[in-house]
Structure formats: C-alpha cells, structure tokens
C-alpha cells in the first residue's frame, strides 16, 4: 500500500509561487549524479493519463524544468492507457482521477490491476485532498495537487514514489522467498526423514543434494526402518519431474512405504500398494517413480532386493566395491493397468558388509568434453578409488567427485539422494 504521507499535503504550503514566474532551475552536479544513480543509466518511462490538454502541458513543462531526462508517454482515456500498459510497462503512472471513461477509484483500481510493478501517483484538484488520501489508501503510492507544485518537488515526488514501489516489490519478493524456504523445509522433513532404528546393528549415512537449477526439492526420497523382528528395510526412490507437486508425491510415497512396511507388507504386495498410491495421487498420467527397496533379516547373510526402473547399487565388502544389478520390473505408474511384476532377488552379503543406494542424479551428470554421462560404471570406478574410506567420507567423496567431473557442464543437473547402510555384527 502507498504511503499515507502524500506529497500533495507535504509540499503544498511550500509551493505557492505562481507557475508563470517559476524559471527553469539548473540541476547541480551532485543532484545530477543522484538522479543518474536512480535512473540506472536509462531514463525512466512515465505514463501520464490525463485528458485535459492544459494539465498535460503543465506536467510536460514541470519535467522539462526539472532538468531530469524522462520518457513521457501520454494517454487521454483509461482505455488508451490500458492498451499502452499492455505494450510497455512504465516505472511510474501519473493518473488523473477524472477521465472521460473512468472516474475516481475505479480508474485507479483498473490501472493497479493492469500493472503491479509501476508506481501510481494520482493527480487531484485543489479541493480534492480527501480523494488523494483515499487513492493512497487504495494502493496509489502518492497524490499530487495540480497547480501547487514546482519542478523539483514534482520530480522528487516521482522519484520517491518509484523508490517506495521498488521497496514494496523487494519486500514482497523477500516474503515469497521466506515462504518458499518454509515450504522447502516442510518438504525436506517429509522426503528426508530420520531413520526409524530400534538398535545399533545398522549405521545409516544419508545425503541429499538439489540439482543446480532446482529452487525446490525434487521428488527424490529415501527411508530406513527396523521392524520388531530385527530386519532392516530401506528404500531410495525418484519421482519424475521437479517442483512442489513432485516433491509432495515423493513425500506421499515415502510415508506410504514406511506405513506399509511397518504393517507387514513385503515383496510384490508392497510395490503393488505403492503403485496404487502413486496413480491415485499423481498430477497426470505421465508421472512415474523409480525405486530400489531392500530387506536384510536380522543376522542374515543376504539382502532381498526389489527394483522398479531404478539404477543398480553398490556393495562394499572385504574384497572391495562392486556394482550390483538385479532383475527388476517397470517404474511405478508406467503400466498401472498391467499386472506388473517386481521380483525379489537375494544378494549375498558379508556380516559387516555395506550397501549404497542412490538416485540417477548421481550418475547422469555429463563428464569430459563430449555429451558422455558418468553412468554406473563411472561411479564404480570412482568408488574403487575410495574403498578404504569410512561411510561418511566415502559417500561425500563420490558425490564431490561426480560434481567435479560435471563442472564444465554446470555441475549435476538433477537431484541426488544417497543412502549408505553398514551392518555391525558386534552389536
């Protein structure tokens, strides 16, 4: 909302000299520098909406007398002004409240609706101060009383109005940024939860890195749950696309996975349920999700893995690091009307072995001079150089190296989620 300190009242008492005897006032070098800083090198565009020719000439002369360069446009009716506002957005609008096709606040409201970025200054008559104050309350930046202004006061009013408008827009952008940050935080809490562990037999290291162009979290998600039988269950998934809708769907799938696992769903039944959730909650039929899920029963020498259109994973053992690929089924939501199958594959594991699951953002970054992607084999080569590192350092080294290799292409474009699980048999 505009300032209630209207310049019409603030400078009225100081501007009583007759217009005819007010000679052009030269602008000092200090003032000229100040104005040039304000205008940032290009004269501001001011649109005058005024049907009275005498008042229009008065405004033009005030601008000339001020010594400040301004690009002045003119519209004689509101309809003409709205058409001009469609073609070019001025920094300031000088609006007469009495036009042939609009009167009072109706004209102001239509101008404000057309251009939210311009500072609107209302022009009133000598007896219309209340109308000026009402216009400020309705959203104008200020009001000016015709015939009561000198050139310097007039240009100062325009300058202040523009500065106040820019401050308002900056404050609104800041508030939007804060709301977006709060939304990010809520989505992050849903996508990147605290693992639900009942003992210390498994250690979890998790990382999430947004892609270079993402203002919001994408749909990557992960979770880890230990059930009362001592089994460890984990999932890493990726909803196609980016933005709040995809992130919210990722949260939905992550929460649903945890609930279904804790309720006893396993194997084919588990992924059938998740696909039903995805189809019911997605914003369009083109949205799908990939995931890899595993279960390690307490004390077992194996993990049971399901894969739905997702990359493979790394297994760390006393012999080093290997890339593990298992048979899988389609991504969730790709063929919901078919009886899709997601087989459960048993993979041998050392008692103190470790598994690293990840989303495709880690392996799809471009590397080198050509459009070559890192891919799973490239990630495995990196991992083999860091096989002796502990979990946190190992994961960070892989992400950092993948990011560095893609530096010439702007870094990793997609979100990256990594989940590293390491079992401790001494517990």
């Amino acid at each position: 909302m505009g300032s209630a300190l209207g310049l019409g009242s603030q400078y009225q008492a100081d501007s009583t000299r007759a217009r005819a005897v007010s000679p052009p006032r030269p602008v000092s070098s200090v003032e000229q520098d100040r104005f040039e800083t304000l205008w940032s090198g290009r004269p501001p565009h001011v649109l005058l909406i005024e049907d009275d020719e005498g008042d229009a000439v008065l405004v033009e002369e005030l601008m000339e007398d001020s010594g400040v360069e301004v690009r002045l446009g003119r519209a004689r009716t509101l309809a003409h002004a709205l058409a001009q506002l469609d073609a070019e957005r001025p920094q300031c609008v000088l609006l007469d409240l009495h036009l042939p096709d609009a009167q009072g606040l109706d004209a102001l409201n239509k101008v404000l609706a057309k251009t939210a970025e311009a500072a609107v200054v209302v022009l009133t008559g000598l007896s219309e101060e209340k109308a000026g104050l009402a216009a400020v309350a309705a959203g104008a930046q200020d009001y000016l009383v015709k015939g009561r202004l000198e050139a310097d006061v007039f240009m100062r009013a325009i300058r202040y109005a523009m500065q106040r408008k820019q401050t308002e827009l900056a404050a609104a952008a800041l508030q939007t940024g804060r709301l977006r940050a709060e939304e990010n935080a809520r989505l992050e809490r849903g996508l990147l939860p605290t693992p639900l562990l009942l003992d210390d037999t498994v250690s979890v290291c998790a990382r999430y890195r947004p892609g270079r162009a993402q203002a919001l979290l994408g749909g990557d998600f992960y979770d880890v749950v230990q059930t009362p039988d001592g089994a460890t269950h984990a999932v890493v998934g990726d909803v196609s696309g980016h933005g709040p809708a995809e992130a919210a769907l990722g949260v939905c799938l992550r929460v649903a996975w945890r609930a279904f696992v804790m309720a006893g769903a396993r194997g084919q039944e588990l992924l059938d349920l998740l696909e039903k959730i995805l189809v019911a909650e997605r914003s369009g039929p083109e949205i799908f999700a990939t995931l890899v899920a595993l279960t390690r029963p307490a004390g077992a020498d194996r993990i049971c893995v399901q894969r739905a259109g997702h990359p493979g994973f790394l297994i760390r053992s006393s012999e080093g690091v290997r890339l593990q690929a298992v048979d899988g089924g389609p991504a969730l939501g790709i063929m919901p009307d078919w009886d899709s199958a997601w087989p459960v594959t048993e993979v041998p594991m050392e008692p103190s072995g470790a598994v690293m699951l990840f989303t495709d953002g880690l392996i799809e970054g471009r590397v080198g001079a050509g459009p070559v992607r890192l891919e799973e084999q490239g990630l495995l080569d990196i991992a083999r150089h860091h096989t002796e590192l502990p979990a946190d350092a190992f994961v960070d080294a892989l992400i950092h190296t993948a990011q560095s290799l893609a530096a010439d292409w702007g870094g990793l474009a997609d979100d990256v989620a990594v989940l590293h699980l390491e079992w401790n048999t001494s517990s």
Side-chain angles (χ1 to χ4, degrees):
M1 182 177 294
S3 168
L5 298 177
L7 285 173
S9 58
Q10 182 176 352
Y11 292 105
Q12 183 172 323
D14 297 329
S15 306
T16 56
R17 286 188 296 170
R19 175 66 187 85
V21 297
S22 297
R25 184 180 63 84
V27 180
S28 70
S29 59
V30 174
E31 290 174 315
Q32 187 65 43
D33 290 342
R34 180 185 63 195
F35 284 132
E36 288 176 354
T37 301
L38 173 63
W39 304 144
S40 300
R42 186 181 181 188
H45 178 201
V46 177
L47 176 62
L48 172 63
I49 309 176
E50 172 65 76
D51 65 315
D52 185 275
E53 292 298 329
D55 288 340
V57 170
L58 174 63
V59 170
E60 292 173 1
E61 291 181 351
L62 285 170
M63 289 188 173
E64 290 179 2
D65 292 351
S66 71
V68 180
E69 186 179 0
V70 174
R71 292 189 300 127
L72 181 63
R74 168 84 184 281
R76 292 171 174 79
T77 66
L78 180 63
H80 185 204
L82 297 180
Q84 288 195 41
L85 290 173
D86 279 332
E88 185 176 5
R89 296 304 172 103
Q91 285 78 46
C92 182
V93 173
L94 300 177
L95 174 64
D96 180 29
L97 292 181
H98 301 289
L99 299 171
D101 54 348
Q103 296 289 316
L105 296 184
D106 178 56
L108 173 63
N109 291 333
K110 289 180 179 177
V111 170
L112 291 174
K114 178 64 70 172
T115 175
E117 299 83 10
V120 179
V121 177
V122 166
L123 303 177
T124 69
L126 295 175
S127 61
E128 295 180 314
E129 184 170 350
K130 289 185 178 179
L133 291 172
V136 171
Q141 286 297 315
D142 218 327
Y143 73 95
L144 300 174
V145 179
K146 297 177 183 179
R148 294 274 185 166
L149 291 172
E150 295 181 349
D152 58 343
V153 176
F154 180 73
M155 290 309 302
R156 193 180 306 154
I158 293 177
R159 184 186 67 185
Y160 288 174
M162 292 172 57
Q163 288 177 332
R164 284 196 298 272
K165 188 63 179 181
Q166 290 302 312
T167 300
E168 285 183 6
L169 294 175
L174 180 60
Q175 178 64 10
T176 299
R178 288 174 177 170
L179 292 175
R180 177 171 292 177
E182 292 174 0
E183 182 180 9
N184 276 356
R186 288 193 296 270
L187 291 172
E188 183 175 350
R189 285 195 295 271
L191 287 168
L192 318 176
T194 301
L196 182 58
L197 302 178
L198 303 180
D199 57 43
D200 58 358
T201 57
V202 60
S203 299
V204 177
C205 170
R207 297 287 188 271
Y208 178 88
R209 298 284 180 89
R212 64 170 182 259
Q214 305 309 319
L216 286 172
L217 294 173
D220 292 16
F221 62 92
Y222 64 79
D223 204 353
V224 182
V225 169
Q226 271 188 316
T227 45
D229 61 0
T232 303
H233 310 267
V235 65
V236 167
D238 183 3
V239 176
S240 61
H242 296 279
E246 289 75 13
L249 183 56
V251 173
C252 183
L253 291 175
R254 200 278 305 166
V255 172
W257 177 87
R258 176 176 284 203
F260 292 147
V261 167
M262 295 181 69
R266 303 287 186 269
Q268 181 72 27
E269 178 191 15
L270 175 59
L271 268 62
D272 282 338
L273 290 170
L274 289 176
E275 184 169 64
K276 287 182 172 63
I277 293 293
L278 182 143
V279 171
E281 297 293 336
R282 65 185 176 182
S283 58
E286 74 283 359
I287 303 298
F288 62 91
T290 70
L291 64 81
V292 59
L294 67 82
T295 295
R296 184 172 189 177
D301 59 356
R302 68 191 186 282
I303 55 175
C304 303
V305 184
Q306 283 180 287
R307 188 174 63 87
H310 204 80
F313 53 95
L314 299 179
I315 293 183
R316 303 180 69 189
S317 68
S318 58
E319 298 178 354
V321 184
R322 74 177 189 270
L323 176 67
Q324 184 69 50
V326 299
D327 292 337
L332 304 183
I334 290 289
M335 298 184 295
D337 298 327
W338 292 70
D339 292 330
S340 300
W342 295 281
V344 177
T345 302
E346 291 191 353
V347 178
M349 280 285 298
E350 290 184 354
S352 296
V355 174
M356 193 185 94
L357 312 177
F358 53 88
T359 56
D360 58 10
L362 185 60
I363 60 174
E364 290 191 343
R366 294 183 178 184
V367 298
V372 179
R373 299 188 183 276
L374 181 63
E375 303 295 355
E376 293 166 306
Q377 185 59 48
L379 182 66
L380 177 60
D381 292 340
I382 297 171
R384 285 174 171 165
H385 283 86
H386 302 286
T387 185
E388 300 302 325
L389 293 177
D392 286 356
F394 178 78
V395 171
D396 290 339
L398 266 61
I399 295 175
H400 175 75
T401 304
Q403 178 78 22
S404 298
L405 290 172
D408 290 342
W409 299 90
L412 299 175
D414 203 357
D415 300 327
V416 174
V418 176
L419 185 63
H420 185 284
L421 306 175
E422 186 172 11
W423 283 269
N424 177 15
T425 57
S426 64
S427 298

